[in-house]
Amino acid sequence: MKKLLALIMALAMTGSVAAFAQDNSASEEEIMLISEEATEAIPENRIVEGTVTAVSEDQIETEDLIFNIGENTLVADVNLVPTEVKVGDAIYVVASTIETLSIPAQTPAYYVIVKESPEAQAPIFMAVDEVKNGFIYSSDGSYEVSYEEAQVEMYRTKNIVKAEELTKGSEIFVYSDIMTMSIPALVNPEKIVIMSIAQTQETEEAEEASDVTVEENLSDKRIVEGTVKSVSDEQIELDDLVLNLGENTLVADTTLVPTEVKTGDFVTAVVSTAATFSIPAQSSAYYVIVRENAETIAPIFMTVDEVKDGYIYSADGTYKVSYEEAQVEMYRTKNIVKAEELTKGSEIFVYSDIMTMSIPALVNPEKIVIMSIAQEEEISKALALNDLGILLGTDKGLELERDVTRAEAVALIQRTTAADKMVYKSSFDDVADSHWAYNYISWATEKGIVQGVGDNKFEPDRTVTAKELAMMLLNAQGIEAEFEDAFEKATEEGYVTAEDEISEDDTLTRDAVAKMIYNYLNR
């Protein structure tokens, strides 16, 4: 705790957020907000500063950390004008809190600010906790920003907006040369640039209590419409947005029959809420519906929040769909199913010519087509590992319900480390050199991460247990433990939490393994 207090005092004195990358061992208690009223942990990002030692298309390397650059990463100067980064540049980076165990470690970067020199001041990045009484409070408890004398504008459009429109989880850059040395530091900025405004929902209970509860919208997708300006194999360009097409993008007519799109067509597209900072912006497209013209009615796309009392409620609160008189079918197979099988996060298209003008709109459709039925498991940790290239997906997605074999567990652990390029040999009778995981198992055996199960066997294709994975992770970290005590020791180390609901004798799914490895990396 003393280390964190000293760090936050340093932040207030320098006017910028210092690097958290050097110490990844703080416990959850140590990273709680430094405030008497604090009740939430710091958000899932951190600030890192350094000097660029190498640059490629996908990565920026500093002395002790590699930043993975995605298509949504903003690389800009201190005025947030997109720019190029080169070796020797001083940078201020908003990055993920999790990283690989390789040397140097790797972590996804969200914003990379290029400074003129290491001493130059970058705008202060912060995630918003709340806006109250003329102040914006940061999620990590470090800043209290007075906005009444500041210019508050949207990034890219430069539209002037009211700071009161900011919601919990919104992201901003604050421009100020002066702040107090208090905790939180009082900041009087000249300008505030809003990078994103988080979506919110007010629950009925909150309304009754006159206290707003902020929740993240379930859907990470949005609907756009427009006329096609140009088409290629990988992109469809509209007036102010380029749709990036992937292998799983469905381009279809209004009856969901796959079709081709051409210049001049009018389309409705379901796209990611994330967009690049290019002009025009680019966004990933999931569904592109080609309409005869702008007046043609397209089916309504929605993400399901819940199914209750004969209605399907949309995640964004826009629609309430009566399904009892509708034909409910699966896309492609056309199998008739029950609407009650839909789970939170499932995706559907609804066919209806009529709806009420209320909020939510009451829809009485003729047909409902189910595009996907969501898995109900928590996927945030699995997605984080997928983002780091550790938990790889298949043509069926992340397959979180599928069991993980001992061989697969070893492969996942190797991807968290700086594995050497040497070739090792395995002597296990049941691991032939033609086995897909031969090199992984040989490496892990040589490094003392795994052992056989007796009789010179490894049982690579048997489902791994929680105790076995715990032992592997402890060995990978160089922590001594007896096998019988491995799960308890891993729990003490934070590799398993009560929320994970994992017992030591459990055989593990990809979801459970993702939780343990995520905790291992983020402990």
Side-chain angles (χ1 to χ4, degrees):
M1 184 65 75
K2 290 180 180 179
K3 183 188 298 183
L4 188 62
L5 283 169
L7 178 59
I8 292 178
M9 287 300 295
L11 304 184
M13 294 174 66
T14 60
S16 63
V17 183
F20 280 93
Q22 307 305 314
D23 185 2
N24 195 34
S25 61
S27 67
E28 184 175 356
E29 290 75 22
E30 288 176 316
I31 59 173
M32 297 302 287
L33 302 184
I34 310 303
S35 168
E36 292 182 0
E37 299 179 356
T39 58
E40 297 180 9
I42 63 174
E44 291 296 314
N45 57 59
R46 55 177 168 156
I47 307 301
V48 186
E49 296 195 68
T51 301
V52 177
T53 58
V55 181
S56 68
E57 183 178 347
D58 299 324
Q59 292 182 325
I60 296 174
E61 184 172 351
T62 59
E63 299 91 334
D64 50 13
L65 195 60
I66 294 176
F67 299 103
N68 293 327
I69 307 301
E71 63 177 24
N72 295 317
T73 304
L74 173 64
V75 181
D77 62 21
V78 293
N79 296 312
L80 301 181
V81 176
T83 188
E84 293 185 356
V85 63
K86 59 186 184 297
V87 173
D89 281 342
I91 56 175
Y92 171 101
V93 184
V94 182
S96 170
T97 56
I98 69 170
E99 60 186 45
T100 66
L101 296 180
S102 58
I103 301 175
Q106 297 184 31
T107 189
Y110 307 123
Y111 303 101
V112 179
I113 305 300
V114 181
K115 304 193 298 181
E116 292 184 0
S117 67
E119 295 75 29
Q121 185 171 320
I124 303 166
F125 173 83
M126 67 181 70
V128 174
D129 181 28
E130 65 174 339
V131 180
K132 184 173 66 175
N133 299 333
F135 292 94
I136 302 168
Y137 295 86
S138 65
S139 295
D140 64 0
S142 298
Y143 303 102
E144 179 181 354
V145 180
S146 174
Y147 59 79
E148 292 184 346
E149 301 298 323
Q151 175 175 303
V152 184
E153 65 181 41
M154 293 297 298
Y155 174 72
R156 193 186 293 119
T157 66
K158 307 299 182 184
N159 291 340
I160 304 300
V161 296
K162 294 181 178 180
E164 289 83 358
E165 295 180 16
L166 290 169
T167 53
K168 184 173 184 139
S170 298
E171 298 180 347
I172 61 176
F173 277 103
V174 177
Y175 288 79
S176 179
D177 295 329
I178 302 174
M179 68 178 73
T180 67
M181 294 183 63
S182 58
I183 300 176
L186 177 60
V187 186
N188 290 285
E190 303 82 45
K191 184 170 70 172
I192 298 169
V193 179
I194 301 172
M195 308 305 291
S196 68
I197 297 180
Q199 295 177 313
T200 64
Q201 293 179 331
E202 296 181 8
T203 63
E204 292 181 4
E205 293 80 6
E207 289 174 351
E208 291 173 358
S210 299
D211 183 20
V212 176
T213 298
V214 179
E215 298 179 356
E216 197 170 63
N217 196 306
L218 286 174
S219 179
D220 61 350
K221 300 178 174 67
R222 59 186 173 122
I223 309 298
V224 298
E225 295 185 341
T227 302
V228 177
K229 292 178 60 178
S230 64
V231 181
S232 68
D233 290 340
E234 299 177 346
Q235 293 183 324
I236 296 173
E237 184 176 359
L238 307 181
D239 296 326
D240 53 7
L241 185 66
V242 175
L243 311 179
N244 291 327
L245 308 179
E247 291 182 0
N248 297 318
T249 304
L250 173 64
V251 180
D253 62 21
T254 56
T255 63
L256 300 183
V257 175
T259 188
E260 293 185 355
V261 63
K262 59 186 183 299
T263 301
D265 282 342
F266 192 85
V267 298
T268 295
V270 181
V271 304
S272 171
T273 54
T276 67
F277 293 101
S278 58
I279 299 175
Q282 298 183 29
S283 192
S284 300
Y286 304 106
Y287 306 102
V288 179
I289 305 301
V290 181
R291 296 156 59 179
E292 291 183 5
N293 53 55
E295 287 71 42
T296 303
I297 297 176
I300 302 165
F301 173 82
M302 66 179 71
T303 302
V304 175
D305 180 25
E306 65 176 339
V307 180
K308 184 174 67 173
D309 300 331
Y311 294 97
I312 302 168
Y313 294 84
S314 67
D316 63 2
T318 304
Y319 302 105
K320 176 181 178 182
V321 180
S322 174
Y323 60 78
E324 293 184 345
E325 301 298 323
Q327 175 175 303
V328 184
E329 65 181 40
M330 294 297 298
Y331 173 69
R332 192 176 287 113
T333 65
K334 307 300 182 185
N335 291 339
I336 304 301
V337 296
K338 293 181 178 180
E340 289 83 358
E341 295 181 15
L342 289 170
T343 53
K344 189 169 188 169
S346 299
E347 297 180 347
I348 62 176
F349 277 104
V350 177
Y351 288 79
S352 179
D353 295 330
I354 302 173
M355 68 179 73
T356 66
M357 298 288 290
S358 58
I359 299 178
L362 177 59
V363 186
N364 291 285
E366 302 82 44
K367 184 171 70 172
I368 299 170
V369 179
I370 301 173
M371 308 306 291
S372 68
I373 296 180
Q375 295 175 315
E376 294 181 301
E377 290 79 10
E378 176 191 20
I379 64 169
S380 58
K381 293 180 179 180
L383 287 175
L385 295 189
N386 180 256
D387 191 32
L388 287 170
I390 296 171
L391 182 69
L392 306 180
T394 70
D395 57 357
K396 298 179 181 178
L398 289 178
E399 294 190 276
L400 297 184
E401 291 183 339
R402 181 165 66 77
D403 289 340
V404 175
T405 65
R406 283 167 52 83
E408 289 171 327
V410 169
L412 290 169
I413 291 173
Q414 192 199 60
R415 292 182 194 134
T416 70
T417 68
D420 56 51
K421 302 300 181 183
M422 294 182 64
V423 177
Y424 300 100
K425 291 189 176 181
S426 170
S427 60
F428 293 117
D429 294 338
D430 56 351
V431 183
D433 57 9
S434 59
H435 192 285
W436 71 269
Y438 177 85
N439 290 335
Y440 291 114
I441 295 169
S442 302
W443 166 83
T445 304
E446 180 69 24
K447 298 300 181 183
I449 294 172
V450 295
Q451 297 177 345
V453 296
D455 296 329
N456 204 39
K457 295 184 183 299
F458 184 77
E459 297 184 357
D461 301 319
R462 173 173 62 76
T463 303
V464 70
T465 67
K467 187 187 293 185
E468 289 173 332
L469 181 59
M471 192 73 221
M472 293 178 194
L473 294 174
L474 291 169
N475 288 338
Q477 194 61 22
I479 299 174
E480 294 185 3
E482 296 295 329
F483 179 69
E484 289 304 315
D485 302 324
F487 187 83
E488 181 179 353
K489 182 63 175 176
T491 301
E492 292 175 1
E493 293 292 328
Y495 304 168
V496 185
T497 68
E499 292 77 16
D500 296 331
E501 298 182 346
I502 298 172
S503 300
E504 64 177 335
D505 295 322
D506 288 351
T507 54
L508 299 182
T509 62
R510 284 166 65 86
D511 179 54
V513 168
K515 290 174 180 176
M516 288 183 66
I517 292 180
Y518 177 92
N519 296 339
Y520 165 73
L521 292 174
N522 205 40
R523 65 197 182 286

